[in-house]
Amino acid sequence: LEPWRAFEDRGLSGHKGHRRTRGNLKHLLGLIQRGEVPRGTVLVVEEMHRLSREGALSVWPMLSDIVRAGVVLVTGVSQTIWCEARLNSPENHALQAAINTAMAYSADLSRMAKKAHESRRTKMAEGKQVRRNGRLPGLIDRVDKDEADTLTPY
């Protein structure tokens, strides 16, 4: 198989639907809807949470549009193949479980990030040193490499 195109939506929320409404996924869905993606094309995603982390009412119509256009969805890690026949079969409960898991995964990520950012804000406000992983959160602005990081109001 030769890759036709590769799409990424780094930094766009899968939970809020930003990938579907304004990212490269939106572009891909437009290509599919206009018939520019050949029937029989295989869309490979690492796992369902890489495609979307939205709820079922947003994900099912999107998946329906994809497979009705003759595009086969394959989740790479689990190697699960989703086509129109399979979506209409009793096996579709596994896809619903994957959608639910993706949404829960997103909620967990959000909770962890909020907790970590709040902890950093508190420590910085107390004048304590904040341990970083090399990336600065949006609330911190690096003024000079040699100087301490400073809080940026937002």
Side-chain angles (χ1 to χ4, degrees):
L1 293 176
E2 274 189 48
W4 178 60
R5 290 190 184 165
F7 295 91
E8 290 183 13
D9 275 329
R10 292 178 185 235
L12 290 180
S13 172
H15 177 71
K16 295 177 182 173
H18 295 164
R19 293 175 186 166
R20 181 179 50 81
T21 61
R22 60 183 183 206
N24 282 321
L25 179 58
K26 176 184 178 180
H27 176 68
L28 174 62
L29 294 173
L31 292 172
I32 290 170
Q33 289 170 348
R34 291 189 301 275
E36 295 176 35
V37 176
R39 293 187 70 77
T41 296
V42 177
L43 173 61
V44 179
V45 294
E46 182 181 0
E47 253 335 306
M48 184 53 66
H49 70 86
R50 294 294 186 193
L51 183 63
S52 179
R53 296 177 187 163
E54 294 179 87
L57 294 178
S58 296
V59 177
W60 277 104
M62 177 181 64
L63 294 176
S64 177
D65 289 347
I66 291 170
V67 299
R68 283 189 174 153
V71 176
V72 177
L73 175 66
V74 177
T75 50
V77 174
S78 63
Q79 297 181 353
T80 305
I81 299 169
W82 295 102
C83 59
E84 189 168 359
R86 189 140 189 242
L87 284 180
N88 286 322
S89 78
E91 295 178 59
N92 66 18
H93 70 280
L95 184 56
Q96 183 60 52
I99 292 167
N100 294 341
T101 300
M103 195 170 159
Y105 174 75
S106 182
D108 289 344
L109 286 178
S110 179
R111 274 192 297 276
M112 288 187 301
K114 285 177 184 173
K115 187 176 178 180
H117 289 312
E118 184 58 38
S119 173
R120 287 185 183 126
R121 279 189 207 102
T122 301
K123 286 179 183 178
M124 289 184 77
E126 295 170 352
K128 295 179 181 174
Q129 190 75 311
V130 176
R131 195 176 94 201
R132 297 188 320 264
N133 63 2
R135 290 177 33 198
L136 295 176
L139 66 128
I140 302 174
D141 183 28
R142 179 167 285 137
V143 177
D144 186 347
K145 286 184 177 181
D146 298 328
E147 294 186 23
D149 296 327
T150 57
L151 284 173
T152 300
Y154 58 94

